[in-house]
Amino acid sequence: MSEARPTTPAASTADLTDVPAAVRVRWTELVRDIERARDAYYDAVDAQSPWSDAEYDALYRELESLEDTYPALRLPSSPTRSVGGRPATDFATAPHHERMYSLQDVFSLEEVEQWAQRMTAETGLPDAELPMTAEVKIDGLAVALTYEHGVLTRAATRGDGVVGEDVTGNVRTIASVPLVLAGDSHPALLEVRGEVYFPVAAFHEFNERRRTENLQREAEGRPRLQVFANPRNAAAGSLRQKNPAVTAARPLAMIAHGIGAITPAPGERLPSAQHAWYELLAAWGLPVSPYNEVVRGRAQREAYIGRYADHRHDLLHEIDGIVFKLDSRPLQDELGYTSRVPRWATAYKYPPEEVHTRLLDISVQVGRTGRVTPFGIMEPVVVAGSRVSRATLHNATEVARKAVKIGDMVVLRKAGDVIPEIVGPVLERRDGSERDFVMPQRCPSCGTALAPAKEGDVDLRCPNTRSCPAQLTERIAHIGSRGALDVEGLGDEAASALTQPDAGRVEALAALAAGHALETEHGRLRLPAGELDALHPSERVGAAEALLAEAGLPAQRPVLTGEAGLFELTADDLREVFVYRPVMRRGLPTGDWRLLRFFWSKQTYTKDGEVRRPTTPGKNAVAMLTQLESAKHQPLWRVLVALSVRHVGPTAARALAARFGSMDALRAASLEELAQVDGVGPTIAAAWKDWLEADWHEQILARWAAAGVRMADESDAGEAAPQTLAGLTVVVTGTLQHFTRDGAKEAIVARGGKASGSVSKRTSYVVVGDNAGSKETKARELGLKLLDEAGFEALLAGGPAAVDGGS
């Protein structure tokens, strides 16, 4: 299934075409200087304003004068339209004009060659005559910048590719990002894709300053400042600051590496080659990579890869590979996309960095679907810029294949420079003290015997799906995740508190048995030293248990024993949820522990035991309950994702929701009907039918529905739409009056069609709305069938027969 694209927002700026370029440049300089001065005055902790009050006033008056002369510059984002410091960013959602895709990763020169051979086969051009852009793959944070008539109106993170987070306020502080494009004749709408990064040299200087300041802070007993592990983390953390002033104080930069949506100005001719687009972007003042080249043939591609393999640590920014793209934009459009990646591009990933470290132990964790995964616990080590202390080992078969033993010195690398991976043991470092790992036969969370899901599976799973605490915790956290119902406050810690409130209790008891204290609302608990000395070591934990029971602190019952009751939670249900936490001092454990209310505030008492200050719901509790109420209105596909059905991710969930429209229709659908949905297939269809067979799953649906969770989308709820578009590919371009971009695509998919984002010879129909742009032009060049909105509605209702006479 093709992913739905959000509706393009209406233009939010006045027409700036009559404003001279020099005036726009000066306006940009004034806005940036005034905002920096405001940040330093109102918000910044460690910045100093470079302007006096008189100089600031002069800048502000000049800005007012410019906007009086050219009213089109008086934008909602101008400092003249706001008071005082800029508001902190709240990260509103930002639907992308066109979906942001990932890149297909390959890890060998041979795989690059295989991709290139597919390109020659698809295009009919010899490899030596097929130009490609070669680009270093920046290790930063992907962003999409929207320019309307040359003015930056929005900046968004990638998010899930369809919807990102609005970080406009923060991006405006990045000096290399122009607020107004240079020159003239800008598109009415231009979406620039790029990467925000932390320059390597500036990163080291920034961290060094923080280390120096932390010495002073530590001496004064103040909290330490964060020292970043690598430039990418620094870039991501800096760009997503709530306060733009913090972002402004950090030397971020941006490089443009692609184009999304374009609405050309009337009569405008845009480049047909990727490298020509980079030249145009540079002419408009946007930063492009100095390392880009156009290459032809295998020898030039591999020479480019080899050159930057030798110099990957000498560049302005960190890289994790090389990207090749067909240089021809028309060929890019013709080849199009899979559900995840463009077919016309690939990313070669350099072999990851490797280090040696000691494997201290191998433990296991239980995931939300019951899969039990071994993982290595290692002496902390820095690899590829990150500090790593654990790495997955996948399953017992993989542990045996790698022949690693507990106590081994092991080779650790980051697969794709992202995921920590234990490669194998350093055999010459063994001394005989190492021991084999034995996969547990019972679930470490609930004690149930482990078994494969089906014969032949290498993974072991805990079959106690309903009540295994570890699985339930993971499922509750998954419900709150951005890919599911997106519930603020329902993360890993909250999920654990709801389902495993006594997490840490064993460690707290061990601390008491060792003579340490447990801090509670009523005071500190500690076993008297004389009593401890008189006890046999095997009796001390029991004495600690008795101490807690005497203090009225028995083991807690979880608030949730299943996800069915999640939407029935009230603030009172959360009042007595306590969690155990180690007491830290200057980042180090003291040995003592603390018992805290997780969702409510601390309750205080007088010396006589009377309540002095009662407990009240905390901000996190209020936010979570409010967000749970809002989550009831999420679309059907998100509800499907939240159910943790095996194999049913966002893509399959969107396809199923678009095709059937309601939970009732999905439950009634046959295996064959489900499997025929584009993007679903027999495996996912069988997984859904299997999920429905469990009585407790039906209870989840029933109780969620009773609590008000939306179980049907608004259009065609409960009814399967007629398959009028079966076998057809439809492209929607421009703005329609009665359909959002998402709605149009879902209507196509629900009727059996494929909603494509690119025009090619294989396109059946192109629906043309207002400001359609280049897709309409290409459709006319290819002689494709064009429909207006009325024709689109007729096509949905009656299929091709209803529009045979339209054009």
Side-chain angles (χ1 to χ4, degrees):
M1 171 185 171
S2 295
E3 291 284 340
R5 293 183 182 173
T7 302
T8 300
S12 59
T13 70
D15 188 355
L16 298 175
T17 55
D18 294 331
V19 180
V23 173
R24 281 182 277 168
V25 169
R26 182 54 182 160
W27 180 85
T28 301
E29 293 171 350
L30 289 169
V31 168
R32 180 162 280 137
D33 287 347
I34 289 170
E35 289 183 341
R36 286 178 59 196
R38 282 186 171 182
D39 290 341
Y41 184 81
Y42 289 99
D43 306 310
V45 174
D46 53 1
Q48 182 175 357
S49 177
W51 297 276
S52 67
D53 290 349
E55 290 170 325
Y56 173 87
D57 291 341
L59 293 172
Y60 193 87
R61 285 194 298 270
E62 184 181 351
L63 182 64
E64 286 183 316
S65 177
L66 275 184
E67 293 181 356
D68 288 340
T69 307
Y70 300 96
L73 291 172
R74 196 175 288 115
L75 305 175
S77 56
S78 172
T80 63
R81 303 288 296 275
S82 63
V83 177
R86 285 174 290 157
T89 306
D90 60 1
F91 302 129
T93 57
H96 297 303
H97 302 283
E98 289 190 0
R99 180 183 171 183
M100 295 182 72
Y101 288 83
S102 301
L103 287 169
Q104 179 63 54
D105 291 336
V106 297
F107 297 90
S108 69
L109 298 178
E110 193 55 40
E111 287 179 293
V112 175
E113 180 61 13
Q114 292 170 4
W115 170 81
Q117 290 174 359
R118 289 197 298 272
M119 294 302 96
T120 60
E122 290 275 3
T123 62
L125 295 174
D127 190 26
E129 299 176 14
L130 185 59
M132 301 175 181
T133 60
E135 309 170 22
V136 294
K137 190 171 185 294
I138 304 161
D139 194 12
L141 189 70
V143 293
L145 310 181
T146 299
Y147 287 89
E148 299 177 42
H149 301 289
V151 177
L152 177 66
T153 57
R154 192 183 72 179
T157 61
R158 180 198 299 274
D160 65 1
V162 178
V163 178
E165 292 178 319
D166 190 328
V167 289
T168 309
N170 290 354
V171 168
R172 285 167 60 88
T173 70
I174 299 175
S176 58
V177 176
L179 304 183
V180 177
L181 299 181
D184 296 307
S185 301
H186 306 119
L189 174 73
L190 174 66
E191 192 179 30
V192 178
R193 272 49 187 294
E195 206 82 3
V196 170
Y197 67 95
F198 212 118
V200 173
F203 167 76
H204 293 304
E205 292 173 2
F206 182 85
N207 266 357
E208 191 56 37
R209 287 197 305 270
R210 291 213 151 187
R211 292 189 186 99
T212 301
E213 184 172 350
N214 281 340
L215 294 175
Q216 182 65 30
R217 284 174 166 262
E218 188 169 359
E220 296 171 356
R222 291 188 294 150
R224 294 168 58 87
L225 297 173
Q226 180 183 7
V227 176
F228 289 104
N230 54 59
R232 189 194 185 283
N233 286 356
S238 299
L239 188 62
R240 301 191 70 256
Q241 290 290 322
K242 293 292 186 181
N243 188 343
V246 179
T247 306
R250 298 178 182 178
L252 297 182
M254 195 277 290
I255 284 181
H257 57 57
I259 299 297
I262 315 167
T263 304
E268 183 180 22
R269 294 179 62 84
L270 296 174
S272 61
Q274 187 79 19
H275 81 273
W277 260 110
Y278 291 152
E279 293 170 357
L280 180 58
L281 293 178
W284 284 340
L286 283 156
V288 297
S289 175
Y291 311 117
N292 293 345
E293 290 183 18
V294 176
V295 297
R296 292 174 176 83
R298 180 170 187 169
Q300 291 186 16
R301 286 191 296 271
E302 293 186 2
Y304 188 91
I305 290 172
R307 181 162 67 253
Y308 287 103
D310 294 337
H311 297 282
R312 61 181 295 188
H313 298 299
D314 302 332
L315 308 185
L316 296 171
H317 47 70
E318 288 200 332
I319 66 172
D320 58 2
I322 299 296
V323 178
F324 295 106
K325 304 173 184 174
L326 292 188
D327 192 42
S328 168
R329 296 272 296 178
L331 286 179
Q332 292 179 10
D333 290 341
E334 183 174 342
L335 291 178
Y337 302 81
T338 69
S339 62
R340 190 178 64 86
V341 299
R343 293 187 173 91
W344 43 267
T346 194
Y348 168 81
K349 302 301 286 290
Y350 284 119
E353 295 182 9
E354 296 184 345
V355 297
H356 289 181
T357 189
R358 185 71 63 182
L359 180 62
L360 302 177
D361 199 0
I362 298 177
S363 188
V364 297
Q365 61 188 12
V366 185
R368 64 186 173 93
T369 60
R371 181 185 176 201
V372 180
T373 306
F375 64 91
I377 302 171
M378 299 158 299
E379 290 182 348
V381 64
V382 175
V383 55
S386 298
R387 191 171 180 83
V388 175
S389 60
R390 58 184 285 170
T392 182
L393 283 162
H394 302 293
N395 50 59
T397 302
E398 187 73 357
V399 177
R401 185 187 70 79
K402 292 184 174 181
V404 293
K405 297 174 179 285
I406 298 169
D408 265 334
M409 181 66 69
V410 295
V411 178
L412 179 73
R413 72 179 179 188
K414 278 195 168 184
D417 276 358
V418 176
I419 304 171
E421 174 188 7
I422 294 174
V423 179
V426 183
L427 295 177
E428 60 268 28
R429 299 287 296 274
R430 283 185 172 168
D431 60 12
S433 65
E434 300 80 12
R435 67 184 193 276
D436 291 329
F437 165 70
V438 179
M439 187 73 177
Q441 299 302 303
R442 293 191 172 274
C443 174
S445 180
C446 67
T448 303
L450 303 177
K454 60 179 183 293
E455 187 176 351
D457 275 3
V458 295
D459 292 329
L460 291 180
R461 295 180 184 272
C462 172
N464 182 21
T465 308
R466 179 175 189 172
S467 55
C468 174
Q471 294 183 59
L472 178 58
T473 299
E474 290 291 322
R475 292 200 304 271
I476 295 295
H478 171 70
I479 291 170
S481 67
R482 292 183 182 179
L485 294 183
D486 195 13
V487 180
E488 182 183 346
L490 188 59
D492 293 337
E493 289 191 352
S496 178
L498 290 169
T499 58
Q500 303 182 70
D502 277 324
R505 182 181 174 92
V506 171
E507 290 84 352
L509 288 169
L512 285 169
H516 292 290
L518 175 67
E519 299 176 4
T520 75
E521 290 183 342
H522 291 276
R524 291 166 61 88
L525 299 178
R526 190 195 297 268
L527 288 168
E531 182 178 333
L532 275 176
D533 292 340
L535 292 172
H536 187 274
S538 64
E539 300 173 323
R540 292 175 182 174
V541 171
E545 281 274 18
L547 179 65
L548 293 191
E550 183 181 345
L553 302 174
Q556 300 178 79
R557 292 184 178 181
V559 174
L560 289 178
T561 56
E563 52 265 65
L566 178 63
F567 291 95
E568 300 165 5
L569 288 175
T570 66
D572 284 342
D573 294 329
L574 308 177
R575 177 188 175 107
E576 302 301 321
V577 176
F578 288 86
V579 293
Y580 292 85
R581 293 285 186 267
V583 177
M584 311 292 287
R585 183 174 294 117
R586 295 184 180 178
L588 298 174
T590 63
D592 294 340
W593 281 69
R594 181 180 291 123
L595 185 61
L596 304 168
R597 294 182 194 266
F598 187 86
F599 293 103
W600 284 52
S601 66
K602 179 180 179 180
Q603 184 160 284
T604 61
Y605 297 84
T606 66
K607 292 181 179 180
D608 298 328
E610 299 295 327
V611 174
R612 172 185 294 153
R613 185 176 63 191
T615 178
T616 57
K619 291 181 180 179
N620 288 345
V622 173
M624 185 185 75
L625 293 173
T626 301
Q627 287 285 305
L628 280 171
E629 188 63 33
S630 298
K632 294 177 182 179
H633 308 292
Q634 290 278 27
L636 179 61
W637 73 266
R638 285 188 174 274
V639 177
L640 289 172
V641 173
L643 293 173
S644 289
V645 182
R646 196 177 179 194
H647 304 306
V648 178
T651 299
R654 285 179 185 269
L656 289 168
R659 169 65 180 83
F660 294 99
S662 74
M663 194 66 72
D664 286 343
L666 274 166
R667 292 162 75 179
S670 68
L671 189 65
E672 293 74 18
E673 289 173 324
L674 293 163
Q676 288 171 3
V677 176
D678 186 24
V680 177
T683 300
I684 296 175
W688 170 246
K689 299 300 282 187
D690 289 345
W691 189 89
L692 289 172
E693 289 180 2
D695 291 343
W696 65 278
H697 288 159
E698 290 286 355
Q699 291 176 21
I700 294 172
L701 295 178
R703 289 177 66 179
W704 282 16
V709 176
R710 175 174 165 179
M711 292 291 170
D713 286 334
E714 294 175 358
S715 59
D716 299 324
E719 300 180 6
Q723 300 299 282
T724 51
L725 305 186
L728 302 180
T729 299
V730 182
V731 173
V732 178
T733 180
T735 302
L736 302 180
Q737 295 297 314
H738 301 106
F739 292 87
T740 64
R741 191 69 61 90
D742 274 347
K745 291 199 169 187
E746 289 176 5
I748 293 166
V749 173
R751 289 160 178 80
K754 178 182 179 181
S756 177
S758 58
V759 175
S760 71
K761 294 178 180 179
R762 294 183 289 273
T763 303
S764 308
Y765 296 94
V766 177
V767 180
V768 178
D770 295 336
N771 301 315
S774 58
K775 291 179 183 177
E776 177 183 4
T777 303
K778 183 173 182 180
R780 292 188 184 279
E781 291 173 352
L782 294 175
L784 301 176
K785 190 86 168 182
L786 273 69
L787 300 175
D788 58 14
E789 186 164 359
F792 179 47
E793 292 174 342
L795 179 69
L796 294 174
V803 294
D804 276 345
S807 63

